Amino acid sequence: MINQEFKAMLQGKSVIRELSEYATARGQEIGYENVFDYSLGNPSVPCPEGFTQSVIDIYKEMDPMDIHGYSPSLGNTKAREYLAGELRERFNIPYETKHIFMTSGAASSLAHAFRLVTKPGDEIIGFAPFFPEYIPYIKATGAKFTIIPANTADFQIKFDEFEKALNPNVQAILINSPNNPSGVVYSEETLRKLASILEAKQKEYNHEIFIISDEPYREIAFDGKKTPYPSHYYDNTISCYSYSKGMSLPGERIGYMAFNPKCVDADINAIICGQISRGIGHNCPSATQQLAITRTGFKLADLSVYETNANIIYNELVDLGFEVVKPQGTFYIFPKALEESSIDFCNKAKEYDLLLVPGDTFGCPGYFRMAYCIDTEKVKRSMPVLRKFVEECYR
Amino acid sequence: MINQEFKAMLQGKSVIRELSEYATARGQEIGYENVFDYSLGNPSVPCPEGFTQSVIDIYKEMDPMDIHGYSPSLGNTKAREYLAGELRERFNIPYETKHIFMTSGAASSLAHAFRLVTKPGDEIIGFAPFFPEYIPYIKATGAKFTIIPANTADFQIKFDEFEKALNPNVQAILINSPNNPSGVVYSEETLRKLASILEAKQKEYNHEIFIISDEPYREIAFDGKKTPYPSHYYDNTISCYSYSKGMSLPGERIGYMAFNPKCVDADINAIICGQISRGIGHNCPSATQQLAITRTGFKLADLSVYETNANIIYNELVDLGFEVVKPQGTFYIFPKALEESSIDFCNKAKEYDLLLVPGDTFGCPGYFRMAYCIDTEKVKRSMPVLRKFVEECYR
């Protein structure tokens, strides 16, 4: 018999996906150039040219048997060696090959991380606003997901609420900086305070508490700043990376986990992840993609458009009187809606073909997300529409 | 705290993987050409040239944004359309796009299939000898895996034992034809009888029982025969395919599930699988690989070497007095050992640098597997070694 629990999930359609489907349908009516679709977080810049050339070179030069064979269960050894070296150099942390586990992107990194450090019934704490897929990701592991309400002043952490929520059942803290949907980067101060609380609690509870750091937006930081790297502040950190955003390869499903060399069981965590893979149908990312990222080295897509768009939208929102925290990275901004219900607010905007996602989806009602991974020209054209919407509906 | 259940799995190393690691180490001592490594089922022929060219063309001609964007959650729509058409034509079953779900190879196909048709506590029946990874695959879903002992006469199904094992808790039957490790293809007679029993039991129990058909070896059939396609015999069949063997792309992690258009919930099973993906970190196979198999169309690697090797080994085994069923496909043969313990038998063979896998691993003690996906030249050189081993140890 078909599993009724999964079947029932068909009723709970993703708000983001529904909006995106509406955008496509509306685009067929009025021309997609006239739909100001801020719904989806799909990169809008091509991957680096060096990546494309790497794949062509691999297919022209290498023996197909050497390209397409099974990867070892922890991933292509050369890719893991290369990544340990890249991260060693960039972050000055002594990663070795054994600390790297290749994954099929962020979803796969997280699927392994949750299972590695929790068992069914354990608790994971996260912070609003958060990527909504965390809920089904964690639910399937049998762990409980506790969400700390948003600190809407600056979208750092509400430490008082966090400390209240901590209890011996908590085995992991899930963070995401730069953050989807707020665009905010956790400051060094935030990471230091988080680390110090967790260190004390580890002693008190007499077990480890891991930070699972979801870092697909790590390289998209504005104002020439670098994202503080969580593993610098706390030993029991698992960095979960994906090439989807920084290199614009979301469809390729390639990423990795990097275990802090000082974390508990650092020498064997990647090997345990290889065992976890067996139960969830994972068997390494595409061999081609592992070779390609190794050959390409550390190159990024031209990410500057995201900062350009962020500035245009932020300035306009401020000018229109919105309460909004300036994004420090990603391609999202998360302003406060102009009425209590952000669902009503977004529905009204939809009448102007402005597609905004209500904050409820991200555990933060009353706010809304704009994903500005779209052409700057379109962003510019949408600003008068935003102004018109605000003036007609809220003045 | 690190999950102790997964950590404990590190103790139970795969016999096949250990043998394969031994082969590598031994090869460094005496030269790999002198190690007769029949341990691993890794294809030994290159992928079709048309596949390599397809990837180069895609990267040269297409906009990177069109190559690398997120796939819809059920897979690239053009790939699904193409596959529905390919299967319609090849098998004369009216598949439509909605009946195809793209997966990251066989492990991923099975991870979705088990979760789709069972819930924790349900029962899945399989048949010895079987691919040993089925055990961890199913264990992680919470379902129970019941194994029917091997019919060593011809490695078809022991129907008397199967009928005794059936009960209302059984929701799925897992089959694998052509079979790893026996090399046997389920006959039309076997599939008809299986279908007829299941149809009666579905009525008796008043719920569906699905056949989950693991078909990575579908295209590797000998004597110019075609593998009987299970979906022809039973409506509630889910075909799980992988491009690993027939196209020699094991590292690329690409495959699909095809739902018989007459199966229960045929219109929505692929959509439900999209929901299952969210809990196991799956998010489609590599976008490049989906485009590549679509562009390449139905082409196979040159699979003839497997049949050549099968004949050489089979004839030699028969000549040496082994009890052995002639392989009808795959790149495996599964003879009876010359002593009761196939572990002892294989350990003795190891002294001759003949690496054979004991049948215990496949749920069939007393037999052993040879994976002959190696060069024919090496197969030929290994035959006198096999003869020497048998004559010195068993005559």
Side-chain angles (χ1 to χ4, degrees), chain A residues 76-153:
Chain A
N76 180 305
T77 308
K78 289 226 164 69
R80 296 170 65 217
E81 269 170 27
Y82 160 73
L83 281 166
E86 182 197 300
L87 298 176
R88 243 184 348 254
E89 194 176 310
R90 289 178 58 202
F91 298 117
N92 195 27
I93 289 178
Y95 287 111
E96 296 175 48
T97 304
K98 65 184 171 190
H99 301 122
I100 307 296
F101 180 77
M102 302 305 300
T103 66
S104 309
S108 164
S109 298
L110 293 171
H112 286 86
F114 296 143
R115 287 165 175 83
L116 178 68
V117 301
T118 70
K119 56 183 191 313
D122 285 347
E123 190 172 341
I124 299 172
I125 291 184
F127 305 94
F130 63 92
F131 176 52
E133 287 297 289
Y134 290 159
I135 292 175
Y137 289 0
I138 294 176
K139 184 164 186 280
T141 71
K144 182 188 165 200
F145 187 32
T146 300
I147 296 150
I148 308 300
N151 175 354
T152 54

Side-chain angles (χ1 to χ4, degrees), chain B residues 65-80:
Chain B
M65 301 292 294
D66 293 332
I67 303 175
H68 302 299
Y70 280 111
S71 302
S73 51
L74 279 56
N76 181 305
T77 309
K78 289 225 164 72
R80 295 169 64 216

Side-chain angles (χ1 to χ4, degrees), chain A residues 1-2, chain B residues 117 162 166-173 194-212 233-238 262-265:
Chain A
M1 202 170 93
I2 300 296
Chain B
V117 302
F162 173 60
L166 277 167
N167 70 76
N169 203 32
V170 175
Q171 299 286 348
I173 311 299
L194 177 63
S196 118
I197 293 170
L198 292 179
E199 271 152 20
K201 288 294 174 183
Q202 288 193 130
K203 280 187 197 136
E204 184 185 331
Y205 302 152
N206 199 27
H207 65 70
E208 304 87 41
I209 305 175
F210 281 84
I211 288 183
I212 298 174
Y233 302 88
Y234 186 67
D235 290 346
N236 281 328
T237 298
I238 304 172
K262 287 189 185 161
C263 83
V264 167
D265 282 337

Side-chain angles (χ1 to χ4, degrees), chain A residues 127-130 147-152 155 158 181 323 334-346 357-369:
Chain A
F127 305 94
F130 63 92
I147 296 150
I148 308 300
N151 175 354
T152 54
F155 295 116
K158 260 194 176 168
E323 211 176 282
F334 199 62
K336 189 172 183 183
L338 294 178
E339 60 182 296
E340 201 182 334
S341 159
S342 44
I343 295 172
D344 290 350
F345 177 84
C346 293
V357 185
D360 308 58
T361 294
F362 308 98
C364 190
Y367 288 72
F368 64 96
R369 187 187 80 170

